[in-house]
Amino acid sequence: MTTLINCRGKLIDLAQPRVMGILNITPDSFFERSRVHTEEEILNQAEKMLSAGATFLDLGGHSTRPGAMPVSEEEEIKRVLPATEIILKHFPEALISIDTFRSNVAKACVEAGAVIVNDVSGGLLDDKMYETVASFGDVPYILMHMRGTIETMTQFTHYDNLVLDVLDDLQQKVAQLRTFNQRDIILDLGFGFAKNLDQNYELLNHLPDFEVMNLPMLVGVSRKSMIWRKLDILASEALNGTTALNAVALMKGANILRVHEVKEAIETIRLIDAVKAR
């Protein structure tokens, strides 16, 4: 599997699993404690995550939870661009991923120093996204599987064969990305996006099947409803469940864990590494 990615000149080997910390520059992301607004909050959270061992910081200015209120492109840029700039001013070595489905937002943040584009729509919601990201040459693209839109995705959970359908969709999109000469692509199966509760667990169980694509894989299940609904708890109580599923993901080949709590994810990686070494 290809595990080396080029983040604007900095090579990162994903053969060693990495952690991506979530920074939500939003007022309505589903996990309240992940929201940061002021410059002080942004810097404090960034420092905490980087100090705990995060390789990447994922900045999002548009909530993608089911039922989230739409945000204009201008408002999204207003949220994430200053956050990108202030983090890099204080932590110039930070590797920032911009979590957006809009090419103009991605472009503005990459030009400000972001090094990865994380697109939850997999190019569905902006037909200029592939071309825009590829034009930079050395910016990895996180390709996530989704159906419909942020507002309608819960209506598109019927699959003839879940694993094969998701695999086929991702393969077609990778082929499209390659026509633009996109070099580094990271797969995200889209847990919680156009998947019902049981489908999320089926996909996680079949994570190794996607190694046929020879691309690194990001798993983002942190505090998602697939955990707290299954356990009949609140998202605020889902850290233990998150850790459990992150351990499963690592055992099944995940290269990046996208999480709210970095310290716990780093510890999980260390313990799974110890198991695999035996």
Side-chain angles (χ1 to χ4, degrees), residues 89-110:
K89 178 181 177 181
H90 287 80
F91 307 104
E93 297 303 312
L95 300 178
I96 292 180
S97 163
I98 177 63
D99 179 0
T100 185
F101 52 82
R102 290 168 167 149
S103 60
N104 286 336
V105 178
K107 185 174 188 293
C109 289
V110 169

Side-chain angles (χ1 to χ4, degrees), residues 2 32 37 40 47 52 55-56 64 76 78 88 122 127 139 161 172 189 210 216 225 229 235 240 247 249 257 271 275:
T2 302
E32 184 175 353
H37 307 102
E40 182 180 8
E47 181 177 24
T55 300
F56 311 105
T64 53
E76 188 180 353
K78 183 179 177 181
L88 290 174
D127 59 10
V139 172
N161 182 304
Q172 290 185 41
L189 305 190
F210 291 84
S225 62
R229 284 181 178 166
N240 185 55
L257 299 178
L271 293 176
V275 172

Side-chain angles (χ1 to χ4, degrees), residues 158-195:
H158 173 75
Y159 298 84
D160 293 329
N161 182 304
L162 176 66
V163 175
L164 291 180
D165 288 355
V166 173
L167 179 61
D168 181 63
D169 183 78
L170 290 173
Q171 286 177 324
Q172 290 185 41
K173 289 177 178 175
V174 167
Q176 293 174 30
L177 282 159
R178 296 302 191 200
T179 66
F180 291 101
N181 296 316
Q182 175 63 31
R183 296 174 185 173
D184 292 326
I185 302 170
I186 299 165
L187 300 180
D188 180 347
L189 305 190
F191 295 99
F193 289 76
K195 322 286 187 309

